[in-house]
């Protein structure tokens, strides 16, 4: 039997280069091995845990994310794309798991702690938000997933999932196996800085390059990238460390020889930012052009996108329904079977 992969994203906007390097590329590689059954979830229920008052954003992002997936090469014949809210059994499973986790355990989750600060939830923490790691455990275990490809910040969720596996199995009998994380390789794959040099790329910081940006937008974003503030005249020696243009070239450029030559010249002095930026634009445009074209295709066919996700929903739901039948039986609430 093929090993099962479950992964996903919160739909709170279009996907950007950080998503590409941190997870999408990984998913395409895993898909192409043909060794896995891969489920990719658009986590709208989870997105609502910190956006309950902003449902429009979630609603409008769900199909944007689906189109991003399809445009980068997630192939619906090989991977299953689905929407979390369309699988109500995941919510039911969350409810059973909630009895196995203490409040203080949830409060110790380092990723959640950090998010509480960022979102200014210290004095008005929604119960649903604190609970999302349990809901995420239900996502993973609903599919009996073997692997969860995700960023480093998701490790505490997998840890929580494993604790739930062990207490569920101990109380109700062996039902679940421990899932394993798959963390992307590469220094910046875990977190790609924004074009302004901020440690994280994101919509709220307005420092992201989106997979769907057109050529003109891409060009002007690359031209505005943070470089080396001490490199004022072309003849000045420049720094490549902390210089976003070189950092992005290291991440996305394939011609390593050319890049190391450019770095040498830049450090010595005599190489202008615009030349390097133009080269980065070429590199990124080469990556994004086919993605952009594929996106146009799907943007013009919204019914096709809907159909793909609709079919994904029913494939995914079947799997989770089987898990729930097993779970109800193990707990002993399958009264009428
Ligand atoms: N928490 C993930 C994020 O913020 C999204 C997500 C929800 C997820 N459920 C998941 C990721 C299950 C992996 C597995 O991006």
């Amino acid at each position: 039997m093929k090993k099962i992969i479950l992964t996903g994203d919160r739909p709170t906007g279009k996907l950007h280069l950080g998503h590409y390097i941190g997870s999408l590329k990984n998913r395409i590689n895993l898909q192409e091995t043909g060794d896995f059954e891969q489920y990719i979830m658009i986590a709208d229920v989870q997105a609502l845990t910190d956006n309950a008052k902003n449902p429009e954003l979630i609603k409008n992002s769900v199909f944007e994310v689906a189109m991003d997936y399809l445009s980068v090469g997630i192939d619906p014949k090989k991977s299953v794309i689905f929407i979390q809210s369309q699988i109500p059994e995941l919510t039911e499973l969350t409810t059973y798991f909630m009895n196995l986790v203490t409040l203080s355990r949830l409060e110790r989750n380092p990723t959640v702690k950090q998010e509480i600060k960022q979102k200014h939830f210290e004095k008005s923490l929604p119960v649903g938000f604190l609970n999302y790691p349990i809901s995420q455990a239900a996502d993973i275990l609903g599919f009996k997933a073997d692997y969860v490809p995700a960023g480093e910040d998701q490790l505490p969720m997998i840890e929580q999932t494993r604790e739930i596996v062990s207490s569920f199995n101990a109380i109700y009998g062996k039902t679940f196996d421990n899932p394993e994380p798959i963390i992307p390789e590469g220094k910046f794959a875990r977190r790609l800085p924004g074009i302004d040099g901020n440690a994280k790329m994101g919509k709220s910081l307005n420092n992201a390059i989106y997979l769907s940006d057109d050529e003109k937008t891409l060009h002007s974003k690359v031209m505005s990238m943070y470089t080396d503030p001490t490199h004022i005249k072309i003849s000045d020696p420049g720094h490549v460390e902390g210089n976003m243009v070189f950092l992005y070239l290291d991440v996305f450029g394939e011609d390593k020889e050319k890049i190391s030559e450019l770095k040498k010249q830049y450090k010595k002095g005599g190489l202008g930012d615009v030349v390097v930026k133009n080269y980065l634009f070429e590199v990124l445009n080469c990556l994004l052009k086919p993605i952009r074209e594929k996106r146009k295709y799907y943007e013009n066919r919204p019914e096709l996108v809907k159909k793909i996700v609709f079919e994904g929903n029913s494939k995914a739901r079947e799997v989770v329904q089987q898990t729930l039948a097993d779970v109800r039986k193990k707990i002993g609430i399958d009264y009428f079977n």
Side-chain angles (χ1 to χ4, degrees), residues 17 195 201 208-225 248 252 277-289 292:
L17 280 180
I195 57 173
M201 177 175 279
I209 293 177
Y210 294 95
L211 300 174
S212 46
D213 279 346
D214 62 31
E215 212 165 291
K216 228 177 105 203
T217 309
L218 175 65
H219 191 260
S220 76
K221 285 185 180 174
V222 171
M223 288 303 148
S224 78
M225 277 174 88
Y248 277 47
F252 296 99
K277 284 178 169 173
N278 272 323
Y279 178 54
L280 176 63
F281 167 73
E282 255 177 62
V283 166
L284 291 180
N285 199 39
C286 192
L287 169 72
L288 295 180
K289 201 171 176 192
R292 218 181 275 137

Side-chain angles (χ1 to χ4, degrees), residues 183-326:
I183 304 291
E185 281 170 40
K187 194 168 160 209
F188 293 104
R190 293 161 184 217
R191 174 160 292 187
L192 182 70
I195 57 173
D196 58 354
N198 194 301
K200 196 181 172 187
M201 177 175 279
K203 190 180 39 175
S204 50
L205 295 163
N206 197 18
N207 64 359
I209 293 177
Y210 294 95
L211 300 174
S212 46
D213 279 346
D214 62 31
E215 212 165 291
K216 228 177 105 203
T217 309
L218 175 65
H219 191 260
S220 76
K221 285 185 180 174
V222 171
M223 288 303 148
S224 78
M225 277 174 88
Y226 179 82
T227 57
D228 171 11
T230 69
H231 185 242
I232 298 162
K233 284 189 284 171
I234 291 180
S235 55
D236 290 340
H239 296 88
V240 300
E241 304 81 28
N243 183 319
M244 291 308 113
V245 179
F246 281 105
L247 188 148
Y248 277 47
L249 278 176
D250 279 337
V251 175
F252 296 99
E254 278 174 6
D255 191 345
K256 300 296 175 203
E257 233 169 84
K258 171 158 184 174
I259 294 167
S260 102
E261 198 50 47
L262 285 173
K263 282 184 183 171
K264 235 193 261 166
Q265 257 185 296
Y266 193 83
K267 282 197 252 187
K268 214 168 65 197
L271 180 61
D273 278 358
V274 174
V275 177
V276 197
K277 284 178 169 173
N278 272 323
Y279 178 54
L280 176 63
F281 167 73
E282 255 177 62
V283 166
L284 291 180
N285 199 39
C286 192
L287 169 72
L288 295 180
K289 201 171 176 192
I291 297 175
R292 218 181 275 137
E293 278 163 13
K294 231 170 151 187
R295 205 176 200 285
K296 279 264 137 54
Y297 175 87
Y298 288 109
E299 277 171 0
N300 291 328
R301 290 165 181 76
E303 290 309 314
L304 173 62
V305 178
K306 263 197 160 164
K307 181 167 172 273
I308 289 170
V309 181
F310 187 80
E311 287 173 2
N313 291 341
S314 47
K315 275 189 215 160
R317 189 165 185 197
E318 248 173 65
V319 177
V320 183
Q321 277 175 332
Q322 269 185 25
T323 303
L324 262 293
D326 185 22

